[in-house]
């Protein structure tokens, strides 16, 4: 009795086989991606409370701002991740969760999972997926959990650099970034007025 209702629901909600997988035209060259991302970031930045976080990307996935193995591009975050991956993971989690989880709690949870099971890659891989969803980043070179299982430190460094690329000061956390953005907005208004 219940199965016939659920089958009818599945028939109604499933897309037609001829519909394209995305509601947009095929991707254009990389310059168009960057221009669209900048435009989306500017639009969303005026309406949101974070440095940059696009609402949606009509052009599809965007490449990461740096490669997985570009750890030497930011030596300080590379050293931090090498010696204290729990701090890097905690900072990433705080920004990605938009302040709902503190750096200390996330870093401690990361350390406990690493110490008890050795599989902290599952926890940090979750935040990589969440980060990719927020900024419409490509899932490459492979699935998020696989990236973290094979190259945990490189993946954490890449995510850290990506958030810095989007305008976050990782050392002050989510609330510090909001306060800094508020001060900058007040300075802009005082210059105009």
């Amino acid at each position: 009795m219940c199965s016939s209702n659920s089958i009818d629901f599945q028939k109604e909600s499933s897309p037609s086989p001829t519909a394209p997988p995305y509601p947009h035209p095929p991707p254009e060259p990389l310059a168009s991606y960057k221009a669209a991302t900048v435009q989306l970031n500017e639009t969303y930045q005026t309406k949101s409370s974070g440095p940059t976080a696009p609402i949606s990307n009509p052009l599809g996935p965007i490449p990461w701002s740096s490669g997985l193995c570009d750890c030497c591009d930011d030596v300080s975050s590379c050293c931090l991740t090498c010696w204290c991956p729990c701090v890097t993971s905690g900072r990433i989690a705080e920004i990605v969760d938009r302040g709902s989880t503190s750096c200390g709690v996330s870093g401690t949870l990361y350390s406990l999972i690493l110490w008890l099971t050795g599989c902290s890659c599952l926890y940090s891989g979750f935040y990589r997926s969440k980060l990719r969803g927020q900024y419409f980043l490509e899932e490459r070179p492979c699935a998020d959990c696989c990236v973290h299982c094979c190259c945990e430190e490189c993946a954490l460094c890449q995510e850290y650099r990506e958030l810095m690329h989007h305008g976050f000061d990782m050392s002050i956390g989510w609330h510090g970034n909001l306060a800094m953005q508020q001060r900058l907005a007040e300075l802009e208004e005082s210059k105009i007025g």
Side-chain angles (χ1 to χ4, degrees), residues 132-161:
R132 275 191 331 91
Q134 287 178 359
Y135 292 100
F136 307 100
L137 299 167
E138 295 176 338
E139 186 174 18
R140 62 165 229 206
C142 55
D144 298 326
C145 282
C146 291
V147 171
H148 274 271
C149 283
C150 297
C151 306
E152 176 75 7
E153 286 81 13
C154 292
L156 287 171
C157 286
Q158 183 185 31
E159 294 157 21
Y160 199 88
R161 288 190 310 271

Side-chain angles (χ1 to χ4, degrees), residues 179-192:
M180 184 175 65
Q181 185 182 15
Q182 182 64 32
R183 284 193 301 272
L184 290 174
E186 289 170 1
L187 285 172
E188 290 280 327
E189 288 177 11
S190 66
K191 287 180 184 178
I192 294 172

